[in-house]
Amino acid sequence: MAAHTRGREAHVVVDLTFGDAGKGTITDFLARTRPVHTVIRFNGGAQAGHNVVAPDGRHHTFSQFGSATFIPGVRTHLSRYMILNPLSMLVEERALNALGVIDALERTSISAEALVITPFQRAANRLREISRGEGRHGSCGMGIGETQADSQLLGRAVVRAGDLRDLTTLRRKLGWLQVHKRGQMRDTIERCRSFPVAAEEIRQLEDVGIIDAYLEQLEPFVGRADVIPDYFLEGVLRRTGDVVFEGAQGVLIDEWRGFDPYTTWSTCTFKNAFDLLREYGYGGSIAKIGVVRAYASRHGPGPFVTEDADLGAAIPDLHNRMDDWQRNFRVGWFDAVSTRYAIAACEGVDSLAVTGFDRLRDIPEWKVCEAYETTQGRMEDIPLGPARDLSYQTALTGSLMKAKPVYRVSASAERFETRVDQHIVQIEAQIGVPVRIASFGPTADDKKVLRGTR
């Protein structure tokens, strides 16, 4: 890294859980309280669902635009690690227009190297998940993993943002990809052909007219999108002021460190952000912020040691519910064991942002899971295995599916404010990282910056 330059700071925001911890609302808060000029997306893609409520009550679930887009003048940059769905981005833009944000796309730049999800990759993703039946992995059904896998297997044959303005290249790639995915999915297509839910996905792979229809739908995006060479990010990072690197998904579903196979095809740690900062010689200071809820949550199947159905019934989530692809939204108590594991996978964090305290207001006694009981005995720390070893992660998943939580009461005072203080003290003691931001509701006004807690 270059020597630090005053007047610039990069806030790198990562979810230390299974996702849904509140990265969007923390990004919005940082941009309202710091001189932030750009939010940079550095992993994941069009499947993101970052809920933000503005101080005036407007609510939007940010997917591809940065979660500070409600704030006039704050820009979004989609880095080469972002997986783009142009049609979904147009839908999101229209939703923002209805809320009074009329320049979201004009304030957005996109790396020419960003991958683009095609209809064929989304269809293949959904067919794979449909074919798994009750053994579903919890995919979002957006084609993220399929596109990432294709990029590793097929190289430059996949569609990237830079291809969108070259109609000849784009049409050629789309035609080749449709044929390739149809052949690749032949057996799965036949297994799913009798399922009504699969009919539209099969049509996407078999109907040659899909390409012309898709190109026509793309025209409004292609004519307005600011697709730039990857190295233009260097100029963004040299501007005076702050940037927020807004992560997607969560470390516990990271492609290499998550609990396989209930994972994503995305690096959810700080790695991508730090690669970009290093590559383009960022000279400002850097803050590594880990986001967690005051309790725990998980969308879809997979290990969730602290799951508690009674707690889930007591604090139903307004924005996360059962859906056809990710399945159930699950709730449990704060898990210090998995949080310590996520921090180790990230090679450390500087501070925590803890969201959702308001949801626990009417719960008289709060808990923290400090260890697991496993078939091998008490486990206080999940061992970090060799890098990029999925066989290790799969075995780890098997053991965690059988683990039981060991709780300690973290808060039981009569006053809510005292329970919050008690819970923060216990989180800091268990995790060894200071809590710097506490959230007591959906807006930036509901956030507090804590000082001197450690």
Side-chain angles (χ1 to χ4, degrees), residues 314-351:
I315 52 171
D317 198 285
L318 297 178
H319 301 304
N320 293 286
R321 297 174 181 172
M322 170 75 175
D323 67 44
D324 290 339
W325 296 103
Q326 289 182 287
R327 315 305 286 177
N328 290 328
F329 186 72
R330 304 151 66 191
V331 171
W333 293 105
F334 184 88
D335 188 341
V337 182
S338 66
T339 304
R340 290 193 292 264
Y341 171 82
I343 290 172
C346 288
E347 299 182 0
V349 301
D350 297 321
S351 66

Side-chain angles (χ1 to χ4, degrees), residues 234-439:
E234 181 176 2
V236 174
L237 294 174
R238 287 187 180 277
R239 288 181 58 187
T240 300
D242 293 7
V243 295
V244 177
F245 281 80
E246 180 182 0
Q249 303 166 296
V251 175
L252 299 182
I253 59 169
D254 178 84
E255 59 182 330
W256 296 112
R257 293 300 189 182
F259 305 140
D260 186 73
Y262 307 101
T263 56
T264 180
W265 282 73
S266 178
T267 297
C268 303
T269 64
F270 295 108
K271 181 183 183 303
N272 291 350
F274 272 74
D275 283 351
L276 293 170
L277 289 166
R278 188 177 300 106
E279 181 175 345
Y280 293 118
Y282 184 69
S285 58
I286 301 171
K288 298 165 65 178
I289 303 169
V291 184
V292 294
R293 291 196 190 213
Y295 51 100
S297 66
R298 160 153 217 169
H299 225 142
F304 187 17
V305 177
T306 68
E307 181 173 11
D308 188 303
D310 291 337
L311 181 63
I315 52 171
D317 198 285
L318 297 178
H319 301 304
N320 293 286
R321 297 174 181 172
M322 170 75 175
D323 67 44
D324 290 339
W325 296 103
Q326 289 182 287
R327 315 305 286 177
N328 290 328
F329 186 72
R330 304 151 66 191
V331 171
W333 293 105
F334 184 88
D335 188 341
V337 182
S338 66
T339 304
R340 290 193 292 264
Y341 171 82
I343 290 172
C346 288
E347 299 182 0
V349 301
D350 297 321
S351 66
L352 297 179
V354 183
T355 65
F357 279 108
D358 53 303
R359 307 301 310 289
L360 298 176
R361 181 178 296 274
D362 296 327
I363 308 297
E365 182 178 276
W366 305 354
K367 301 176 187 176
V368 165
C369 173
E370 62 180 3
Y372 297 160
E373 286 293 342
T374 73
T375 54
Q376 288 77 41
R378 182 183 172 98
M379 175 191 290
E380 295 187 355
D381 292 293
I382 301 172
L384 197 66
R388 304 171 76 90
D389 185 345
L390 290 185
S391 61
Y392 176 87
Q393 297 303 124
T394 303
L396 182 60
T397 298
S399 66
L400 294 180
M401 293 291 266
K402 303 172 186 176
K404 304 296 182 184
V406 177
Y407 290 121
R408 80 161 51 221
V409 173
S410 60
S412 59
E414 183 174 346
R415 292 181 66 251
F416 169 69
E417 293 77 9
T418 306
R419 293 201 301 278
V420 169
D421 292 341
Q422 291 173 335
H423 199 53
I424 289 173
V425 167
Q426 188 56 228
I427 288 173
E428 292 183 332
Q430 290 283 339
I431 305 304
V433 175
V435 175
R436 289 295 183 232
I437 300 172
S439 178

Side-chain angles (χ1 to χ4, degrees), residues 24-63:
T25 191
I26 296 302
T27 295
D28 174 76
F29 171 73
L30 290 168
R32 292 180 186 277
T33 55
R34 301 285 302 182
V36 171
H37 58 77
T38 305
V39 172
I40 301 167
R41 293 287 305 276
F42 66 94
N43 76 306
Q47 89 295 353
H50 297 177
N51 287 288
V52 174
V53 179
D56 60 12
R58 288 176 297 165
H59 166 251
H60 180 72
T61 302
F62 286 95
S63 176

Side-chain angles (χ1 to χ4, degrees), residues 120-141:
F120 319 121
Q121 289 151 329
R122 190 176 83 155
N125 170 200
R126 292 185 171 197
L127 287 170
R128 290 188 199 279
E129 194 73 345
I130 290 168
S131 71
R132 292 180 179 122
E134 293 304 313
R136 288 187 176 196
H137 292 175
S139 169
C140 296

